[in-house]
Amino acid sequence: VLDSQYGLYAWPSAVVLAQYVWAQRRSLPGRRVLEIGAGVSLPGVVAARCGAQVTLSDSEELPRCLQSCRLSCLRNRLPHVPVLGLTWGRASPELLSLAPVDIILGSDVFFDPKDFEDILTTIYFLLEKNPHAQFWTTYQVRSADWSIEALLCKWNLRSSHVPLRSFGADKEHLASSSLPGRHTIEMMIISLAQSEGT
């Protein structure tokens, strides 16, 4: 039975994002990476193992998810990786004092439509502080009814679709294990939209 704190489960989207991180491994050493909604932290752990300077985060209101992040680090011999409580849409001291980032990771954060604007508010804040950063995100298509296009426009963000086949993630078996059930996973990279004249 899944826990109500969804971050205690490795969702298929996390496996796909970790595969993308692995495909980008040669560009990661020294890059500053923040994983939001990290939960079991698979993509962030892979990034750290590839030499990135990683910070993991999950909601400050979900202490079991934050503990899960810490346990993932310990089990993967990454005790130096910081874990922060960051709640989407909230301008907390932790968010305001966050060190610069190059890449933001988020797997299946676009799960509940009521959270979409809070997520993109936080992403916009981070990208404004770090204009060359990118948000790498994967999500499971659960409904044809939801879209973040209007919110991307509102927050002056743009997205580009990343085909799963471009990094070997279009298989039923990934990372030597089968993805449970049949899932449609998508990946996109979100960045600041270019202003006119630039």
Side-chain angles (χ1 to χ4, degrees):
V1 176
L2 293 180
D3 192 279
S4 61
Q5 297 191 52
Y6 302 117
L8 302 177
Y9 177 74
W11 295 90
S13 294
V15 178
V16 172
L17 185 55
Q19 177 79 7
Y20 185 77
V21 168
W22 177 250
Q24 304 300 315
R25 65 190 175 277
R26 287 181 184 82
S27 69
L28 290 176
R31 304 281 299 275
R32 299 159 303 186
V33 174
L34 169 69
E35 184 175 2
I36 64 166
V40 296
S41 315
L42 179 60
V45 164
V46 171
R49 298 293 296 182
C50 290
Q53 298 171 18
V54 174
T55 299
L56 301 173
S57 72
D58 212 313
S59 173
E60 59 196 332
E61 298 167 1
L62 300 174
R64 289 181 60 201
C65 290
L66 293 169
Q67 184 59 24
S68 178
C69 293
R70 292 183 189 98
L71 286 173
S72 290
C73 290
L74 291 175
R75 289 181 179 145
N76 287 281
R77 296 183 300 278
L78 298 165
H80 61 282
V81 172
V83 175
L84 298 176
L86 295 178
T87 301
W88 302 326
R90 184 178 298 161
S92 64
E94 291 78 13
L95 178 66
L96 297 173
S97 63
L98 197 63
V101 296
D102 301 305
I103 300 164
I104 305 158
L105 302 173
S107 65
D108 231 353
V109 294
F110 294 110
F111 179 83
D112 189 339
K114 75 174 176 52
D115 295 327
F116 291 1
E117 183 143 30
D118 285 342
I119 294 164
L120 289 175
T121 301
T122 300
I123 294 302
Y124 177 77
F125 173 81
L126 292 167
L127 294 177
E128 274 286 299
K129 278 181 64 173
N130 307 276
H132 299 291
Q134 295 180 327
F135 177 36
W136 298 356
T137 185
T138 51
Y139 59 95
Q140 185 174 327
V141 178
R142 294 181 172 87
S143 168
D145 294 342
W146 72 258
S147 171
I148 62 168
E149 291 304 315
L151 290 171
L152 290 173
C153 187
K154 175 181 178 179
W155 288 103
N156 195 34
L157 299 169
R158 65 182 171 94
S159 69
S160 49
H161 180 261
V162 179
L164 300 192
R165 71 182 171 282
S166 70
F167 58 99
D170 58 341
K171 304 173 179 102
E172 208 170 307
H173 287 24
L174 199 57
S176 301
S177 66
S178 73
L179 294 175
R182 286 265 185 214
H183 303 283
T184 301
I185 308 291
E186 298 288 340
M187 176 165 181
M188 65 181 153
I189 295 177
I190 295 175
S191 56
L192 285 178
Q194 297 297 319
S195 23
E196 290 183 35
T198 61

